Each structure stands twice: as C-alpha cells, then as structure tokens.
Amino acid sequence: MSRASLKNRIPGGVDGRRMLLIGFIDKCGTGLWATSIALYFTYVSGLGLGQVGLLVGVSGGVGIAGAPLAGRLADRFPVTRVLIGCQLLRAAALLALLTTDNYALLVLYSAIGALPDRATNVLTKLYATRIAGPERVRYQAINRTAGNLGWAVGGLGAAAALSVATSTAFQLLLVGNVVSYVVMAALTLRCAEPPAPSRVAAGSATGAPSAKPAGPWRDRTFLLFTATEAVIFLDDTILQVALPLWIVHATDAPVGLAPLLLVLNSVLVVLFQVPLARFGATTEAARRLLVPLACLLVAGTLALAASAFAGRTLAITALVVAAVALTFAEIIHATASWELSVALAPDDAQGAYLGVHGLAPATQRFGGPLLLTGVIAAGPLAWPILGAALAATCGVQSRLVRRSLDKRSLSVPTATVSEH
C-alpha cells in the first residue's frame, strides 16, 4: 500500500496521524512500566501482596477525579494544552517513585500520577471524537491498534529486563516511561486544536439540540450504564495486575511469562482491533457485542482457575488461553464501550458525559486491584464466580441500552469502518 493511500485511510489528517504517534509512544513507555509495576513494588520496594493491592487501589481512587475533571477542562481550554499538562505531571510523579522506599510516599506519588493518567484517557477520547468526526469508530480502532503496538514493543523491553530481574533493571523501566512522557509533550505542542466541542454523529443527521445542556448526573440511564462499565472494565485489571500476581502466587509458571502474555495481548489487539471494529459501527451492533463479550470473560476466568491445578507446562497453556480470551474480550468491549458511550451522550453535553463515563475505568482501577487481590487470596474457585458476575453485568448493560434505544433514535448509519 502506498504512503498516500495509507494517509487517506487514517481519519483526522496530519494532526490525527501525529496523535496516533503520540499514543504509540505513550504505550511504549507504559508497556515498559505497567507490565512490571506489581513486580517492581514486590521485589524492589519489598511490599507484600496486600500492600501492592492497597497502593494500586488508593492511587486508582484518587485518579477517579481525573475523568470528570478532564471533561470539564476540555470544554473550557484547548484539549492539546490540557494533555501536555497531564503528560508532564505523569512524568514528574513517576520519577518521584525513584526517590523513596517509604510506603506512604509511594502511595502519595502513585496517587498523584493516577490523576493525570485517568484524565488523559478521557482527553484522548475527546480528541479522537473531534478530529475524526463521522469516522470516529475507525479512528478509535486505529488508535487502539497503534497503542497496543506500542504495548508490544514496551512489553518486550520489560521481558528483557525481567530476565535480569535486578533493581537497576526495574528502575530503568521506570525511567524509560518518564522519557516517553516528555517526548509526548513535545509532540503534542505541534498538534492543532480540533473543532470543539459538539458531537458529530457518525454520518447521521442529529436531532435538534435541547433548550439547555443536559446533565449526566441527572441522567439515570447513563449513570447506570457507567456503573456497569466500571464492572466490565475489570478485564483491564485482570490482565495488568491480577495476572502477574496470580502467576507468582498461585501457579508453577515462570515469572517472566507475565510480560510475554501482555505482549501477546498487544499483538492480538494490533491484528484484530480494526477488523473487528466494524461489528460495532452502530449503536445496536455495539449492543449485540455484549453477548460474545460475556462468553469470553467466562472462558478467561475459567482458564485462570485451571492454571492453578496443573504443572508448569499445563499452567503455561492455561494462562495463554486465559490471556487470549481476555484479550478478545478487551477488543470487543473497547469497540462496544466506545460507540455506546458516545452515542448515549447528548450533542450539547458531550464533554461532561464522556467525563462521567471516564469514571468507569477510573473506578475499577480503584476497586479492581483490591477486589482481584481478594480473588487471588481466595483461591482458584473464586475465578468462576467472578466470571459469572461479569457475564451477568453484560446482560444488565444490554437490557439497559436496549431500553434507551427504544426511547431515542441514537444508532449511527449502516456505514462501517471497512468502507474507508
């Protein structure tokens, strides 16, 4: 494929492509650090399982405020400038971890870093919506593909460092992530501000704007939708936090398998995120994805349970099966969550609504590590129970969205991302 043809297939023009590069660099650095964060605090800082879970949970709790704050800031200031501030604050907070082994300070610095981290997720989503307009589904799929390619590159670096498993190696992983944030800030300075801030439906005529802006905090349907999202987003914490700890504390698999499984996760997302995105290019299609999502979540948790009852070889096999199932769950959920959250947000309150939706991943990052360390401590039989709860939540969300669709005509047109 020619370079010009490739450019034409990426929505958003030069700034859209530049932001994709920024996302790639972000995930390269994050892949270096996030794939080994639980092990860093375990082996370098000498924290126990409960302390690691509490640290990650508390930082996630503080980070919850970043999502709605980002939504409000994006309606008042240029998104690119807010992004630069977040990137620099993330770098400073992460670098501060190198200065101490004091548990209270580690919690404090992690919490400070979580605030701009969660804000960045909302800001990049808003940027994608504004820069790509009616091609938002395709752009988001390409964005996730670029990001996960970065995860793969960073994860390979982390795997190499973990093969050495020294304090210096862990510290270099952290510094590599700090450098990535600084580079991202420099590149973001070159990005033009996209049109703001009203929602552009994906190729369909939107209804007349309401007389006054809608309020997400008074929208019960959207709040319930966000609550179910907080539960389903546990697939992220299972892969990033629970899987490495489960390998260490409950299986005979080697520790170095953890970053390799996250590399596998990234490779699968790179290969399948864009092709599978076409199955969620309308609101109704995105809702239907919740059925296979539930099945994959159940399969992944059952495989995690099975890994504890086998020897080294069978444990590795079961863990690979779990990682694959949970990865496809992540791919499907990303597509469904992206389209449903944007479609359910009124035109005149997009920033506020997406900021509230950002509470879902932020909330699960607070409660998720605490819940999942409890699951690990409870033993293998706790995984199937968690899987059943996740599947039931998918069913609740499907019915919730269907009722909303019966009341409002929100589905986007039949054009899919594969048409571009």
Side-chain angles (χ1 to χ4, degrees):
M1 182 183 297
S2 68
R3 184 175 180 181
S5 177
L6 179 61
K7 288 182 178 180
N8 292 334
R9 291 175 62 85
I10 299 177
V14 63
D15 291 312
R17 295 192 295 272
R18 185 174 289 126
M19 192 58 69
L20 291 176
L21 174 61
I22 292 169
F24 171 77
I25 296 172
D26 187 0
K27 297 307 179 184
C28 282
T30 303
L32 287 173
W33 172 240
T35 55
S36 56
I37 183 171
L39 301 179
Y40 174 91
F41 288 122
T42 298
Y43 291 110
V44 177
S45 301
L47 305 184
L49 176 62
Q51 288 178 305
V52 173
L54 181 61
L55 182 150
V56 178
V58 169
S59 62
V62 174
I64 289 175
L69 179 61
R72 293 182 64 85
L73 289 175
D75 287 337
R76 291 164 172 77
F77 304 99
V79 174
T80 52
R81 297 304 180 260
V82 180
L83 269 172
I84 291 170
C86 288
Q87 290 155 356
L88 295 178
L89 182 55
R90 291 167 78 187
L94 191 59
L95 194 61
L97 293 176
L98 290 175
T99 67
T100 183
D101 287 328
N102 181 274
Y103 183 66
L105 290 178
L106 290 173
V107 172
L108 175 63
Y109 297 149
S110 297
I112 292 174
L115 190 66
D117 181 69
R118 307 307 180 257
T120 298
N121 293 334
V122 173
L123 294 170
T124 53
K125 184 175 182 178
L126 282 169
Y127 191 91
T129 301
R130 296 174 181 178
I131 200 70
E135 296 183 277
R136 64 176 186 246
V137 176
R138 179 175 179 81
Y139 185 87
Q140 181 67 359
I142 297 173
N143 186 42
R144 292 201 78 246
T145 299
N148 278 273
L149 184 59
W151 263 104
V153 173
L156 288 173
L162 287 175
S163 66
V164 180
T166 64
S167 296
T168 300
F170 281 112
Q171 290 166 348
L172 288 175
L173 292 177
L174 187 153
V175 171
N177 197 17
V178 171
V179 172
S180 73
Y181 290 144
V182 176
V183 173
M184 288 160 52
L187 288 174
T188 305
L189 275 172
R190 301 181 61 190
C191 290
E193 183 68 13
S198 62
R199 174 167 66 92
V200 178
S204 63
T206 57
S210 57
K212 57 182 179 180
W217 298 106
R218 296 191 296 270
D219 189 332
R220 292 184 180 180
T221 297
F222 195 82
L223 290 177
L224 287 174
F225 170 76
T226 300
T228 59
E229 285 282 86
V231 177
I232 301 174
F233 268 116
L234 280 172
D235 58 3
D236 178 66
T237 301
I238 292 174
L239 283 167
Q240 293 192 29
V241 178
L243 186 59
L245 292 175
W246 182 251
I247 289 173
V248 171
H249 293 279
T251 76
D252 292 329
V255 174
L257 180 64
L260 293 178
L261 290 179
L262 290 178
V263 170
L264 174 63
N265 165 269
S266 299
V267 170
L268 290 175
V269 173
V270 168
L271 293 175
F272 293 104
Q273 184 70 66
V274 173
L276 293 181
R278 69 180 184 272
F279 295 109
T282 70
T283 309
E284 176 57 28
R287 186 191 68 82
R288 290 195 297 267
L289 288 178
L290 294 172
V291 174
L293 172 59
C295 295
L296 288 167
L297 290 170
V298 170
T301 51
L302 287 175
L304 284 173
S307 68
F309 296 107
R312 183 184 179 94
T313 301
L314 291 178
I316 292 174
T317 301
L319 289 166
V320 171
V321 171
V324 170
L326 291 170
T327 295
F328 277 100
E330 175 193 352
I331 292 171
I332 291 175
H333 182 223
T335 298
S337 175
W338 164 251
E339 175 56 29
L340 293 176
S341 62
V342 173
L344 293 174
D347 293 8
D348 51 9
Q350 186 187 63
Y353 267 73
L354 295 184
V356 169
H357 179 262
L359 290 173
T363 299
Q364 76 83 20
R365 285 188 177 100
F366 168 63
L370 296 176
L371 172 63
L372 291 174
T373 51
V375 169
I376 293 172
L381 296 181
W383 285 114
I385 296 174
L386 177 63
L390 291 172
T393 304
C394 290
V396 170
Q397 184 175 111
S398 178
R399 290 191 293 271
L400 185 68
V401 173
R402 173 178 285 177
R403 287 200 300 269
S404 179
L405 292 178
D406 289 340
K407 295 177 181 178
R408 298 157 57 188
S409 178
L410 289 174
S411 59
V412 271
T414 56
T416 67
V417 295
S418 61
E419 295 179 3
H420 302 283

Short mmCIF file of all heavy atoms in Angstrom, two decimals, residues 19-62:
data_model
loop_
_atom_site.label_atom_id
_atom_site.label_comp_id
_atom_site.label_asym_id
_atom_site.label_seq_id
_atom_site.Cartn_x
_atom_site.Cartn_y
_atom_site.Cartn_z
N MET A 19 -1.25 12.41 16.49
CA MET A 19 -1.76 11.95 17.77
C MET A 19 -1.68 10.43 17.88
O MET A 19 -1.50 9.88 18.98
CB MET A 19 -3.19 12.42 17.97
CG MET A 19 -3.72 12.24 19.39
SD MET A 19 -2.73 13.06 20.68
CE MET A 19 -3.07 14.79 20.33
N LEU A 20 -1.78 9.73 16.75
CA LEU A 20 -1.57 8.29 16.76
C LEU A 20 -0.14 7.95 17.16
O LEU A 20 0.10 7.00 17.91
CB LEU A 20 -1.88 7.69 15.39
CG LEU A 20 -3.35 7.69 14.95
CD1 LEU A 20 -3.46 7.15 13.53
CD2 LEU A 20 -4.20 6.86 15.90
N LEU A 21 0.82 8.73 16.66
CA LEU A 21 2.22 8.53 17.04
C LEU A 21 2.42 8.77 18.52
O LEU A 21 3.14 8.03 19.20
CB LEU A 21 3.12 9.46 16.23
CG LEU A 21 4.61 9.47 16.61
CD1 LEU A 21 5.21 8.08 16.42
CD2 LEU A 21 5.38 10.51 15.78
N ILE A 22 1.77 9.80 19.04
CA ILE A 22 1.85 10.10 20.47
C ILE A 22 1.30 8.94 21.28
O ILE A 22 1.87 8.53 22.30
CB ILE A 22 1.10 11.41 20.79
CG1 ILE A 22 1.84 12.60 20.16
CG2 ILE A 22 0.95 11.61 22.29
CD1 ILE A 22 1.06 13.89 20.19
N GLY A 23 0.16 8.39 20.83
CA GLY A 23 -0.41 7.24 21.52
C GLY A 23 0.51 6.04 21.48
O GLY A 23 0.62 5.29 22.46
N PHE A 24 1.19 5.85 20.36
CA PHE A 24 2.15 4.75 20.24
C PHE A 24 3.29 4.91 21.24
O PHE A 24 3.66 3.97 21.95
CB PHE A 24 2.70 4.69 18.81
CG PHE A 24 3.84 3.74 18.62
CD1 PHE A 24 3.62 2.38 18.54
CD2 PHE A 24 5.15 4.21 18.55
CE1 PHE A 24 4.67 1.49 18.37
CE2 PHE A 24 6.21 3.34 18.38
CZ PHE A 24 5.98 1.97 18.30
N ILE A 25 3.85 6.11 21.32
CA ILE A 25 4.95 6.36 22.26
C ILE A 25 4.47 6.19 23.69
O ILE A 25 5.18 5.64 24.55
CB ILE A 25 5.51 7.78 22.04
CG1 ILE A 25 6.14 7.89 20.64
CG2 ILE A 25 6.54 8.14 23.12
CD1 ILE A 25 6.56 9.29 20.27
N ASP A 26 3.26 6.67 23.98
CA ASP A 26 2.69 6.53 25.32
C ASP A 26 2.68 5.07 25.74
O ASP A 26 3.10 4.71 26.84
CB ASP A 26 1.27 7.11 25.31
CG ASP A 26 0.66 7.16 26.71
OD1 ASP A 26 1.32 6.75 27.69
OD2 ASP A 26 -0.48 7.63 26.83
N LYS A 27 2.19 4.22 24.85
CA LYS A 27 2.07 2.81 25.20
C LYS A 27 3.41 2.09 25.21
O LYS A 27 3.58 1.10 25.93
CB LYS A 27 1.10 2.11 24.26
CG LYS A 27 -0.32 2.65 24.35
CD LYS A 27 -0.83 2.66 25.78
CE LYS A 27 -2.24 3.22 25.86
NZ LYS A 27 -2.73 3.32 27.26
N CYS A 28 4.38 2.58 24.43
CA CYS A 28 5.73 2.01 24.53
C CYS A 28 6.27 2.20 25.95
O CYS A 28 6.78 1.26 26.58
CB CYS A 28 6.67 2.67 23.52
SG CYS A 28 6.52 2.10 21.83
N GLY A 29 6.17 3.43 26.43
CA GLY A 29 6.65 3.71 27.78
C GLY A 29 5.84 3.00 28.83
O GLY A 29 6.38 2.44 29.80
N THR A 30 4.52 3.00 28.66
CA THR A 30 3.66 2.33 29.63
C THR A 30 3.90 0.83 29.61
O THR A 30 3.86 0.17 30.65
CB THR A 30 2.18 2.63 29.33
OG1 THR A 30 1.98 4.04 29.34
CG2 THR A 30 1.28 2.00 30.37
N GLY A 31 4.17 0.27 28.42
CA GLY A 31 4.46 -1.15 28.34
C GLY A 31 5.71 -1.53 29.11
O GLY A 31 5.81 -2.61 29.68
N LEU A 32 6.69 -0.62 29.11
CA LEU A 32 7.90 -0.86 29.89
C LEU A 32 7.59 -0.94 31.38
O LEU A 32 8.12 -1.78 32.11
CB LEU A 32 8.91 0.25 29.65
CG LEU A 32 9.64 0.28 28.31
CD1 LEU A 32 10.47 1.56 28.20
CD2 LEU A 32 10.54 -0.94 28.16
N TRP A 33 6.70 -0.05 31.85
CA TRP A 33 6.48 0.11 33.27
C TRP A 33 5.28 -0.68 33.79
O TRP A 33 5.37 -1.42 34.76
CB TRP A 33 6.32 1.59 33.60
CG TRP A 33 5.91 1.89 35.01
CD1 TRP A 33 4.80 2.55 35.42
CD2 TRP A 33 6.62 1.54 36.21
NE1 TRP A 33 4.75 2.65 36.78
CE2 TRP A 33 5.87 2.03 37.30
CE3 TRP A 33 7.81 0.86 36.46
CZ2 TRP A 33 6.26 1.85 38.62
CZ3 TRP A 33 8.20 0.70 37.79
CH2 TRP A 33 7.44 1.19 38.84
N ALA A 34 4.14 -0.53 33.12
CA ALA A 34 2.91 -1.13 33.65
C ALA A 34 2.95 -2.64 33.68
O ALA A 34 2.32 -3.26 34.54
CB ALA A 34 1.70 -0.65 32.85
N THR A 35 3.66 -3.25 32.75
CA THR A 35 3.72 -4.71 32.75
C THR A 35 4.52 -5.26 33.93
O THR A 35 4.46 -6.46 34.21
CB THR A 35 4.37 -5.22 31.45
OG1 THR A 35 5.64 -4.59 31.28
CG2 THR A 35 3.48 -4.91 30.25
N SER A 36 5.27 -4.39 34.60
CA SER A 36 6.09 -4.86 35.72
C SER A 36 5.84 -4.08 36.99
O SER A 36 6.57 -4.25 37.98
CB SER A 36 7.57 -4.76 35.34
OG SER A 36 7.90 -3.44 34.97
N ILE A 37 4.80 -3.24 37.03
CA ILE A 37 4.59 -2.37 38.18
C ILE A 37 4.34 -3.18 39.47
O ILE A 37 4.90 -2.88 40.52
CB ILE A 37 3.42 -1.38 37.93
CG1 ILE A 37 3.27 -0.44 39.12
CG2 ILE A 37 2.13 -2.10 37.60
CD1 ILE A 37 2.30 0.70 38.85
N ALA A 38 3.50 -4.22 39.36
CA ALA A 38 3.22 -5.02 40.55
C ALA A 38 4.48 -5.73 41.03
O ALA A 38 4.73 -5.83 42.24
CB ALA A 38 2.12 -6.04 40.24
N LEU A 39 5.29 -6.20 40.08
CA LEU A 39 6.53 -6.89 40.45
C LEU A 39 7.58 -5.91 40.97
O LEU A 39 8.39 -6.25 41.82
CB LEU A 39 7.06 -7.66 39.24
CG LEU A 39 6.10 -8.70 38.67
CD1 LEU A 39 6.71 -9.39 37.46
CD2 LEU A 39 5.72 -9.73 39.73
N TYR A 40 7.59 -4.67 40.47
CA TYR A 40 8.50 -3.64 40.96
C TYR A 40 8.26 -3.40 42.45
O TYR A 40 9.20 -3.40 43.24
CB TYR A 40 8.30 -2.34 40.18
CG TYR A 40 9.09 -1.16 40.72
CD1 TYR A 40 10.36 -0.88 40.24
CD2 TYR A 40 8.56 -0.33 41.71
CE1 TYR A 40 11.10 0.20 40.72
CE2 TYR A 40 9.29 0.75 42.20
CZ TYR A 40 10.55 1.01 41.70
OH TYR A 40 11.26 2.06 42.20
N PHE A 41 7.01 -3.17 42.80
CA PHE A 41 6.71 -2.91 44.20
C PHE A 41 6.93 -4.15 45.08
O PHE A 41 7.20 -4.03 46.27
CB PHE A 41 5.27 -2.41 44.35
CG PHE A 41 5.07 -1.00 43.84
CD1 PHE A 41 4.13 -0.73 42.85
CD2 PHE A 41 5.80 0.04 44.35
CE1 PHE A 41 3.94 0.55 42.38
CE2 PHE A 41 5.63 1.34 43.89
CZ PHE A 41 4.70 1.60 42.90
N THR A 42 6.83 -5.33 44.47
CA THR A 42 7.04 -6.56 45.23
C THR A 42 8.52 -6.81 45.49
O THR A 42 8.93 -7.08 46.63
CB THR A 42 6.43 -7.77 44.49
OG1 THR A 42 5.02 -7.57 44.36
CG2 THR A 42 6.70 -9.07 45.25
N TYR A 43 9.34 -6.72 44.44
CA TYR A 43 10.75 -7.11 44.55
C TYR A 43 11.69 -5.95 44.89
O TYR A 43 12.68 -6.14 45.59
CB TYR A 43 11.21 -7.76 43.24
CG TYR A 43 10.57 -9.11 42.99
CD1 TYR A 43 9.65 -9.29 41.98
CD2 TYR A 43 10.90 -10.20 43.79
CE1 TYR A 43 9.05 -10.51 41.75
CE2 TYR A 43 10.31 -11.43 43.57
CZ TYR A 43 9.39 -11.58 42.55
OH TYR A 43 8.81 -12.81 42.34
N VAL A 44 11.39 -4.74 44.41
CA VAL A 44 12.29 -3.61 44.68
C VAL A 44 11.91 -2.89 45.97
O VAL A 44 12.76 -2.62 46.81
CB VAL A 44 12.27 -2.61 43.49
CG1 VAL A 44 13.15 -1.40 43.80
CG2 VAL A 44 12.74 -3.30 42.22
N SER A 45 10.62 -2.60 46.12
CA SER A 45 10.17 -1.89 47.32
C SER A 45 9.89 -2.83 48.48
O SER A 45 9.68 -2.37 49.61
CB SER A 45 8.91 -1.07 47.00
OG SER A 45 9.17 -0.14 45.97
N GLY A 46 9.84 -4.13 48.21
CA GLY A 46 9.64 -5.11 49.27
C GLY A 46 8.24 -5.12 49.85
O GLY A 46 8.05 -5.46 51.02
N LEU A 47 7.22 -4.77 49.05
CA LEU A 47 5.84 -4.74 49.54
C LEU A 47 5.20 -6.11 49.45
O LEU A 47 5.52 -6.90 48.56
CB LEU A 47 5.02 -3.72 48.74
CG LEU A 47 5.56 -2.29 48.68
CD1 LEU A 47 4.58 -1.40 47.92
CD2 LEU A 47 5.81 -1.73 50.08
N GLY A 48 4.27 -6.39 50.35
CA GLY A 48 3.52 -7.63 50.33
C GLY A 48 2.34 -7.53 49.37
O GLY A 48 2.03 -6.46 48.83
N LEU A 49 1.66 -8.65 49.17
CA LEU A 49 0.54 -8.70 48.25
C LEU A 49 -0.54 -7.69 48.62
O LEU A 49 -1.03 -6.94 47.78
CB LEU A 49 -0.06 -10.12 48.24
CG LEU A 49 -1.32 -10.32 47.40
CD1 LEU A 49 -1.04 -10.04 45.93
CD2 LEU A 49 -1.85 -11.75 47.58
N GLY A 50 -0.90 -7.63 49.91
CA GLY A 50 -1.93 -6.69 50.35
C GLY A 50 -1.51 -5.25 50.18
O GLY A 50 -2.33 -4.40 49.82
N GLN A 51 -0.23 -4.97 50.43
CA GLN A 51 0.27 -3.60 50.27
C GLN A 51 0.24 -3.15 48.81
O GLN A 51 -0.11 -2.01 48.51
CB GLN A 51 1.69 -3.49 50.82
CG GLN A 51 1.79 -3.56 52.34
CD GLN A 51 3.23 -3.49 52.81
OE1 GLN A 51 4.07 -4.29 52.39
NE2 GLN A 51 3.52 -2.52 53.67
N VAL A 52 0.62 -4.07 47.91
CA VAL A 52 0.58 -3.73 46.49
C VAL A 52 -0.85 -3.45 46.05
O VAL A 52 -1.14 -2.47 45.36
CB VAL A 52 1.18 -4.87 45.64
CG1 VAL A 52 0.97 -4.58 44.15
CG2 VAL A 52 2.65 -5.04 45.94
N GLY A 53 -1.78 -4.31 46.47
CA GLY A 53 -3.18 -4.10 46.11
C GLY A 53 -3.72 -2.79 46.65
O GLY A 53 -4.44 -2.07 45.96
N LEU A 54 -3.35 -2.46 47.91
CA LEU A 54 -3.82 -1.22 48.51
C LEU A 54 -3.23 -0.01 47.80
O LEU A 54 -3.93 0.98 47.53
CB LEU A 54 -3.44 -1.19 50.00
CG LEU A 54 -3.89 0.05 50.78
CD1 LEU A 54 -5.41 0.17 50.76
CD2 LEU A 54 -3.36 0.00 52.21
N LEU A 55 -1.93 -0.07 47.48
CA LEU A 55 -1.28 1.05 46.80
C LEU A 55 -1.93 1.33 45.45
O LEU A 55 -2.27 2.48 45.14
CB LEU A 55 0.21 0.74 46.63
CG LEU A 55 1.08 1.82 45.98
CD1 LEU A 55 2.51 1.75 46.52
CD2 LEU A 55 1.12 1.69 44.46
N VAL A 56 -2.08 0.29 44.65
CA VAL A 56 -2.69 0.47 43.33
C VAL A 56 -4.14 0.91 43.47
O VAL A 56 -4.64 1.74 42.70
CB VAL A 56 -2.59 -0.83 42.50
CG1 VAL A 56 -3.26 -0.66 41.14
CG2 VAL A 56 -1.13 -1.23 42.32
N GLY A 57 -4.84 0.38 44.47
CA GLY A 57 -6.23 0.74 44.68
C GLY A 57 -6.41 2.18 45.12
O GLY A 57 -7.29 2.89 44.63
N VAL A 58 -5.58 2.63 46.05
CA VAL A 58 -5.68 4.01 46.53
C VAL A 58 -5.35 5.00 45.42
O VAL A 58 -6.04 6.01 45.23
CB VAL A 58 -4.74 4.23 47.74
CG1 VAL A 58 -4.63 5.71 48.07
CG2 VAL A 58 -5.26 3.47 48.96
N SER A 59 -4.30 4.71 44.66
CA SER A 59 -3.95 5.60 43.55
C SER A 59 -5.07 5.64 42.53
O SER A 59 -5.39 6.71 41.98
CB SER A 59 -2.64 5.16 42.89
OG SER A 59 -2.77 3.87 42.33
N GLY A 60 -5.71 4.49 42.30
CA GLY A 60 -6.85 4.47 41.40
C GLY A 60 -8.02 5.28 41.94
O GLY A 60 -8.75 5.92 41.18
N GLY A 61 -8.20 5.26 43.28
CA GLY A 61 -9.28 6.03 43.88
C GLY A 61 -9.08 7.53 43.68
O GLY A 61 -10.03 8.25 43.36
N VAL A 62 -7.85 7.99 43.84
CA VAL A 62 -7.56 9.40 43.60
C VAL A 62 -7.76 9.74 42.12
O VAL A 62 -8.29 10.79 41.75
CB VAL A 62 -6.13 9.74 44.04
CG1 VAL A 62 -5.77 11.17 43.66
CG2 VAL A 62 -5.98 9.54 45.55
#
